[in-house]
Amino acid sequence: MDKIAVKDLFGKSDIEYIDSYVFSKENPWDLLGGIKEYVKTLCARGIDGFTIIDENVLVGKNVTIAKTATIIGPTIIGNNVEIRPGAYIRGSVIVGDDSVVGNSSELKNAILMRHAQVPHYNYVGDSIIGNFAHMGAGSILSNLKSDGKNVVIHGEIDHETGIRKIGGFLGDHADIGCGSVLNPGTVIGQNTQVYPLSMLRGVFKANKIVKSQNEIVDRK
């Protein structure tokens, strides 16, 4: 069976409020429906050392937010995060410590764990980005099928999610090449590298180099 359980994709971030939520489910797609209420609860309760800068927007220490960035709650921005010009955070988002949300990148109903990078013209909707994962410039996590039907994650077996909007799940240290499009429900395993300009669908195992949908080699 495909290794797409939460524990197979992500290691602990050592950020308590992220780990306690991410590791509360077995399947990563089961986390998506609860992000909004979880973040609202944290914003109402507060996190030690964090500051409310707008309604349901809670921000940690040493955070840089460009004047032209837009942040809509409920959103939590962790410590040492950089939010660059033109970034658009649409709510129901957690950005973990040391992460980068780049120029003209858009986030919606998503979790970025520690040191995740979406630095240039990226779309991240209904997705989870693992620790130290990186999206190259212009890479997209598409989250809605053209027929509007529920997303099925296709691997060695098909996983019926029962969810209409799912983007991607990028394991720790995954690296997505520039200009790539990951179709709804695509899963990239830990330490797997995707070539630029790829169009992918399905489950890609850990420690691979993905040259195309059907050309995959071990990463040494």
Side-chain angles (χ1 to χ4, degrees), residues 18-107:
I18 291 180
D19 292 342
S20 63
Y21 183 74
V22 168
F23 294 98
S24 67
K25 305 288 186 181
E26 180 179 0
N27 300 316
W29 53 88
D30 291 332
L31 294 166
L32 300 176
I35 294 174
K36 182 176 182 179
E37 290 306 315
Y38 181 68
V39 176
K40 286 176 68 175
T41 297
L42 287 176
C43 288
R45 187 177 70 197
I47 300 173
D48 187 40
F50 281 54
T51 302
I52 288 283
I53 63 167
D54 203 347
E55 184 177 1
N56 284 322
V57 178
L58 190 60
V59 174
K61 298 177 180 178
N62 302 315
V63 173
T64 301
I65 302 175
K67 292 181 180 180
T68 53
T70 299
I71 304 175
I72 298 171
T75 290
I76 294 173
I77 307 295
N79 298 310
N80 308 309
V81 168
E82 182 180 359
I83 310 293
R84 293 175 178 169
Y88 181 27
I89 299 177
R90 289 170 50 191
S92 305
V93 168
I94 299 174
V95 180
D97 295 358
D98 309 304
S99 294
V100 174
V101 181
N103 57 299
S104 303
S105 291
E106 181 177 346
L107 275 61

Side-chain angles (χ1 to χ4, degrees), residues 32 125-127 141-144 165-169 182-186:
L32 300 176
D126 303 284
S127 300
L141 301 181
S142 176
N143 67 333
L144 180 65
K165 288 188 177 183
I166 299 178
F169 303 107
L182 276 57
N183 284 295
T186 298

